[in-house]
Amino acid sequence: MIKGINKYVIEVSETGNKYYEKAILFIKPEYSDIQKELLEKEAKRLLRNMDVPSTIKEHNKTVYWGVRLGISALLGAISSIVIINILAL
């Protein structure tokens, strides 16, 4: 849906972000008289600094804790077996 005709738009094709291929940014009318190069530079900086989408963060955090707890359980089982074998002697 297009709400207005007099919108100032910057389309960034090379975002420098591994998650986003292209971005379209709408410039506020009061900042439309700023140099185009400055606006494009700021847009690219903003896109480069964008963080990982939250679902990817959550997935990575879940995998990290799953691996960590799995290793802890494995070490606990191994140490239990070693202690039982030492006490059985």
Side-chain angles (χ1 to χ4, degrees), residues 61-76:
K61 191 186 309 183
T62 303
V63 169
Y64 169 76
W65 280 104
V67 169
R68 190 170 177 175
L69 291 174
I71 290 172
S72 298
L74 183 64
L75 290 174

Side-chain angles (χ1 to χ4, degrees), residues 8 27-35 39:
Y8 299 96
I27 308 300
K28 291 182 178 180
E30 59 265 22
Y31 298 110
S32 63
D33 59 344
I34 296 177
Q35 293 178 353
L39 290 172

